[in-house]
Amino acid sequence: MNSGQENIIDRIEYLEKIALQLEPSAENRAALLNQIVKYSEDFINRIYEIPAFVNSTDKGKGILDYPISEVGSDITQLINLIKHNIDRPGLNPASGGHLGYIPGGGIYFSALGDYLAAIFNRYAGIYFAGPGAVQMEHMLLDWMAEIVGYPQSSGGNLTSGGSIANLIGIVAARDAQNLKAADFSRSVIYLTSQVHHSVDKAIRIAGLKECVIRYVTMDGRFRMDPSDLEKQITTDKNSGLNPFLIIASAGTTDTGSVDPMQDIADLANQNNIWLHVDGAYGAFFVLCEEGKKILNGMERSDSLVMDPHKGLFLPYGSGAVLVRDKQKLFDSFWYQANYMQDALKAQDQLSPADISPELTKHFRGLRLWLPLKLVGVAPFRAALEEKIMLARYFYHEIQKIENIETGHFPDLSVVTYRYLPKRGDANLFNEKLVKAVQEDGRVFISSTMINGNFTLRLAVLSFRTHKKTIDLTIDILKEKIDQLERE
Ligand SMILES: *Cc1c(COP(=O)(O)O)cnc(C)c1O
């Protein structure tokens, strides 16, 4: 052997010794896992007591005092860093007291699914590589299609969240309607001013910002007015424009309003317009009878977004899009690369990579499959109906506080309300009120502007939110209103 080759062997042996630190021993693994489990158990065991919001002054910047370096650290020290800098400051989305934005919680069973997914590291992007993983994801999407009433011809994708799911739906709509750049400026999208901002963002990312965007009038409950929609479509058609996409909301983020799906679907059908429904927040309410009634007609859409990390209480990182005609999804997202030829030849099933922008991706199926299989669907149905009932309960209870004004009766599980102070500016007062509740931290509520009015929101969707939480919220609101009135 020449000395060059010997040098290489020496070097390899040297490098291997160092690289082997990436493979902990059984003993080492047990010790690490023990510490991680101890810490997570401590967190969960205290979850009903610890604050929903911590307004710390340091904002977790202590993490920056320990930069990434060449040598490793002890797990105990690292857990401490996480505990003080990550798990303490800001919003605690795992808390049932999280009643702002759109909560979800993060069920424990999903963490176990993620743990396994990371250990096996199955390649869930391509059927050839991970046939079981891909079939599991298909099964979950088929289940979603079934619960919403989509046909067997539909397909879908487990995404990172609702934003990407909206993007996929809108891109599929653009291509299915055969829109080319030259058509954009005469093609029309219909939506309301209450669509989630990720929809506006998706329109822009999809290159459609030059389309004509029509804001459809809403009724007093912030639902799309189908008669105005019809009028606008007719006017646009008469003036030679190309109406191609309606975006409806199955539960707006701001006020939880559900657009009238049947009427909108009729118009979409009659006029050959793609109907995309953003149900990131609300679509999973279809699992309970009450929700199913409210969402009736959603199943007539061409594409539908639903977020398991909202409506199925999963930890963040799980959205989904369904498309009525799977082929449309394939047409938009399929791609062939030379180095993928083995995978393509072996293919007798669609792969997630064929129907989404992603190739290598997190095996998102396991974090959804494990909880559904472990406890069954029944507890999810119950929890969702419970959330609707809790919102209605709050809606009635909060009106018992003098000078509280509520918005409309909740369609799903978002209630809007504001306090009208005895003197002074109502907007200023409500801004102080939401701040006072957030500073207190036992629960977290958020606010929005409705018709120029600073308005408080209660969004009930954490699986850990129960009647006790709602009663506590009402007590805290009373307490803070009294304090602010006395200031
Ligand atoms: C949360 C939400 C989105 C965005 O979903 P992400 O999962 O946050 O990306 C879109 N639409 C609605 C109605 C939402 O509530």
Side-chain angles (χ1 to χ4, degrees):
M1 216 177 337
N2 65 36
S3 72
Q5 188 72 335
E6 270 168 36
N7 286 346
I8 287 178
I9 291 171
D10 283 352
R11 183 68 183 165
I12 287 173
E13 283 170 353
Y14 166 78
L15 293 171
E16 180 179 310
K17 268 194 208 109
I18 303 171
L20 271 174
Q21 290 177 59
L22 296 176
E23 190 71 275
S25 68
E27 199 183 330
N28 213 328
R29 289 197 300 272
L32 289 169
L33 196 56
N34 182 37
Q35 293 291 315
I36 294 285
V37 169
K38 219 169 81 190
Y39 175 58
S40 56
E41 278 303 299
D42 180 53
F43 180 84
I44 300 175
N45 286 331
R46 293 182 304 119
I47 192 64
Y48 288 94
E49 284 110 64
I50 57 179
F53 187 76
V54 175
N55 188 8
S56 78
T57 42
D58 61 278
K59 306 261 185 278
K61 71 172 188 300
I63 204 79
L64 308 178
D65 296 337
Y66 297 84
I68 305 301
S69 72
E70 288 300 312
V71 291
S73 322
D74 181 67
I75 184 72
T76 325
Q77 186 201 15
L78 300 180
I79 286 176
N80 252 320
L81 281 175
I82 296 171
K83 181 171 177 176
H84 292 292
N85 298 293
I86 313 297
D87 293 341
R88 200 179 52 88
L91 177 61
N92 176 4
S95 164
H98 176 20
L99 301 159
Y101 316 120
I102 303 289
I107 44 179
Y108 179 71
F109 313 112
S110 287
L112 303 180
D114 273 350
Y115 179 77
L116 289 179
I119 297 277
F120 301 145
N121 198 25
R122 276 284 145 183
Y123 199 89
I126 299 281
Y127 177 70
F128 167 72
V134 169
Q135 292 195 76
M136 178 190 279
E137 295 202 355
H138 284 165
M139 174 180 156
L140 290 163
L141 288 156
D142 287 348
W143 171 72
M144 286 184 215
E146 188 191 315
I147 62 169
V148 302
Y150 256 35
Q152 295 224 309
S153 60
S154 67
N157 187 244
L158 296 179
T159 65
S160 57
S163 300
I164 300 300
N166 271 322
L167 178 64
I168 292 176
I170 288 167
V171 165
R174 179 195 68 196
D175 297 346
Q177 299 284 61
N178 204 19
L179 247 62
K180 302 284 187 304
D183 307 316
F184 289 177
S185 60
R186 52 172 287 274
S187 297
V188 192
I189 303 174
Y190 304 85
L191 37 74
T192 73
S193 59
Q194 286 287 317
V195 294
H196 190 269
H197 75 269
S198 64
V199 166
D200 302 301
K201 203 165 147 179
I203 289 172
R204 201 180 66 198
I205 301 172
L208 299 173
K209 72 174 174 194
E210 280 144 39
C211 288
V212 181
I213 310 280
R214 298 277 187 234
Y215 289 92
V216 181
T217 308
M218 294 174 290
D219 66 11
R221 297 172 59 167
F222 300 98
R223 298 176 302 192
M224 187 183 281
D225 173 7
S227 62
D228 185 54
L229 176 62
E230 182 169 26
K231 216 162 57 195
Q232 296 212 44
I233 293 171
T234 310
T235 312
D236 287 337
K237 275 181 141 177
N238 288 342
S239 48
L241 296 178
N242 170 38
F244 84 99
L245 173 61
I246 302 170
I247 300 172
S249 305
T252 61
T253 310
D254 240 10
T255 68
S257 305
V258 177
D259 289 331
M261 295 295 161
Q262 293 289 5
D263 293 346
I264 296 172
D266 285 345
L267 289 169
N269 261 349
Q270 287 156 21
N271 294 284
N272 241 323
I273 303 177
W274 183 284
L275 174 57
H276 174 79
V277 171
D278 179 3
Y281 152 58
F284 276 110
F285 279 103
V286 78
L287 280 173
C288 67
E289 281 309 314
E290 205 56 32
K292 201 178 182 122
K293 275 188 264 171
I294 298 161
L295 297 166
N296 175 31
M298 175 174 82
E299 72 284 357
R300 295 174 62 198
S301 56
D302 296 289
S303 50
L304 172 66
V305 168
M306 46 209 305
D307 263 8
H309 67 203
K310 287 176 177 167
L312 291 179
F313 324 114
L314 258 61
Y316 295 137
S318 280
V321 61
L322 298 176
V323 173
R324 166 172 300 274
D325 180 357
K326 187 176 3 191
Q327 184 66 38
K328 305 290 187 218
L329 207 48
F330 183 82
D331 293 344
S332 284
F333 293 101
W334 176 83
Y335 212 89
Q336 187 175 3
N338 290 338
Y339 56 82
M340 297 285 292
Q341 59 185 3
D342 312 325
L344 277 167
K345 276 178 200 141
Q347 193 138 328
D348 58 0
Q349 285 232 10
L350 277 184
S351 295
D354 298 325
I355 47 176
S356 86
E358 293 182 296
L359 178 57
T360 307
K361 68 179 196 86
H362 179 54
F363 176 17
R364 300 187 183 106
L366 209 47
R367 63 193 339 251
L368 177 54
W369 179 84
L370 192 63
L372 286 170
K373 292 303 292 174
L374 270 175
V375 300
V377 182
F380 290 91
R381 288 189 206 281
L384 284 161
E385 186 181 340
E386 181 198 17
K387 305 311 152 201
I388 290 182
M389 295 301 152
L390 287 173
R392 292 179 184 178
Y393 171 73
F394 177 83
Y395 178 78
H396 290 300
E397 285 301 307
I398 194 78
Q399 292 181 15
K400 294 181 184 165
I401 302 179
E402 206 186 338
N403 293 334
I404 280 276
E405 178 187 73
T406 54
H408 62 81
F409 183 81
D411 280 6
L412 295 167
S413 69
V414 176
V415 181
T416 56
Y417 57 100
R418 65 201 299 256
Y419 179 77
L420 302 174
K422 300 204 170 82
R423 58 203 140 72
D425 183 59
N427 278 5
L428 208 63
F429 189 98
N430 283 283
E431 196 177 338
K432 282 188 193 156
L433 181 55
V434 73
K435 250 189 212 134
V437 176
Q438 289 176 358
E439 284 290 327
D440 178 282
R442 282 175 288 171
V443 299
F444 179 85
I445 55 168
S446 61
S447 67
T448 185
M449 293 303 288
I450 294 181
N451 299 330
N453 290 332
F454 195 100
T455 303
L456 309 186
R457 299 169 67 253
L458 183 96
V460 192
L461 197 56
S462 167
F463 74 100
R464 290 198 172 104
T465 301
H466 303 294
K467 181 171 170 291
K468 222 167 41 182
T469 332
I470 302 299
D471 289 334
L472 173 67
T473 306
I474 291 167
D475 287 345
I476 293 171
L477 280 165
K478 275 187 201 154
E479 184 187 311
K480 303 299 169 195
I481 288 170
D482 282 350
Q483 274 172 17
L484 287 170
E485 278 286 23
R486 271 188 273 112
E487 261 177 18

